[in-house]
Amino acid sequence: MQATSSGYAPTNGLDLYYEIYGSGEPLVLIHGGGSTIESNFGYFIPLLAADRQIIAMELQAHGHTKDRGTPTTFEQDADDVAALLAFLKIPQAEILGFSNGGNTAMQLAARHPQVVKKLVIASSFFKRDGLFKGFFDFMNTASLANMPMGLQEAYLAINNDHAALEIMHNRDRDRMIAFVDWPEEMLRNITVPTLLIGGDQDVMTPEHFVEMFRLFPKAQLAILPGGHGGYLGEVTQRHLSGEQPEMAAKLILTFLKE
């Protein structure tokens, strides 16, 4: 699907790349670690754009957006998304964040609550023990060689610079290694309607999705069959997705219209 428009927004010293699809109520899509708009949401955007104006961006060091030379944080990414919405003159929007994008979405709701109308948190977490056992042992030794080829190819198709690809990988890896549990109170203070989605074979445990569901004051929970991002048609899971993205899109749009 072709973007209606695209460009770069000045956001906190960074030229942030964005794309807009369709028309209607604005729905912001925030990609996960190591991803681009296409690799994360290329399959999913057409399923949503008939009902919403889709605004997707590529955060620091990802895709079209250059690295600003500082560590990547969820807080900074949230501030960058808020700055993008201000640049686009969108006072409030629905937010969907996948994986690390879900962490960014939670920080956006915590730091800039006035811009968030509804929240969809897809395959994300707020505590280290919410991820499968051994995740951080793997992350401590992760290198570019471990990065799924689908993600590498998607980045290089945009920016054929292996050094920049490694910077993106290392920024996201180091952010995960340094992650410190967020307080439960942060989630309790996010009062907008929130939909939590995950896979039953996800990177996060089903028990963690339930724990998050219990903390958000106005939450719904859906655990779908499959792995990390299969229900979105994410590039590394696309061949396994089946009809999951169509089902997930209907579920999300139903929640947003309620």
Side-chain angles (χ1 to χ4, degrees), residues 20 94 199 204 224 233 238 240:
I20 298 176
E94 301 159 341
M204 300 80 198
L224 304 176
R238 210 162 281 173
L240 302 172

Side-chain angles (χ1 to χ4, degrees), residues 70-198:
T70 60
T72 301
T73 69
F74 295 123
E75 293 83 356
Q76 181 63 67
D77 278 353
D79 292 349
D80 291 345
V81 174
L84 171 64
L85 290 175
F87 173 79
L88 295 174
K89 296 182 171 54
I90 297 173
Q92 192 176 54
E94 301 159 341
I95 310 294
L96 188 164
F98 168 69
S99 194
N100 280 180
N103 294 85
T104 297
M106 285 185 273
Q107 285 292 342
L108 182 67
R111 296 166 70 85
H112 305 276
Q114 72 282 357
V115 308
V116 179
K117 183 178 181 181
K118 285 190 174 184
L119 193 60
V120 180
I121 301 171
S123 295
S124 193
F125 70 102
F126 80 105
K127 288 182 178 178
R128 292 173 70 93
D129 67 5
L131 289 92
F132 68 80
K133 187 176 181 180
F135 175 88
F136 287 99
D137 293 334
F138 166 78
M139 196 59 62
N140 284 331
T141 60
S143 68
L144 184 58
N146 305 126
M147 187 178 186
M149 284 307 300
L151 297 181
Q152 294 193 45
E153 290 166 358
Y155 180 92
L156 293 171
I158 293 170
N159 181 16
N160 191 24
D161 183 339
H162 285 266
L165 171 64
E166 188 160 19
I167 287 171
M168 176 184 70
H169 171 273
N170 292 348
R171 291 275 187 234
D172 289 334
R173 177 199 62 197
D174 294 347
R175 172 166 60 181
M176 291 299 287
I177 291 171
F179 185 83
V180 176
D181 291 358
W182 291 343
E184 293 182 357
E185 199 64 23
M186 175 183 153
L187 274 61
R188 291 194 185 100
N189 288 336
I190 296 174
T191 58
V192 295
T194 301
L195 173 63
L196 298 158
I197 304 179

Side-chain angles (χ1 to χ4, degrees), residues 52 94-95 117-121 192-196 218-220 249-258:
R52 288 291 187 273
E94 301 159 341
I95 310 294
K117 183 178 181 181
K118 285 190 174 184
L119 193 60
V120 180
I121 301 171
V192 295
T194 301
L195 173 63
L196 298 158
K218 298 177 183 177
Q220 297 179 29
K250 289 179 181 178
L251 189 155
I252 289 167
L253 289 171
T254 299
F255 164 74
L256 295 176
K257 292 173 184 177
E258 287 176 348

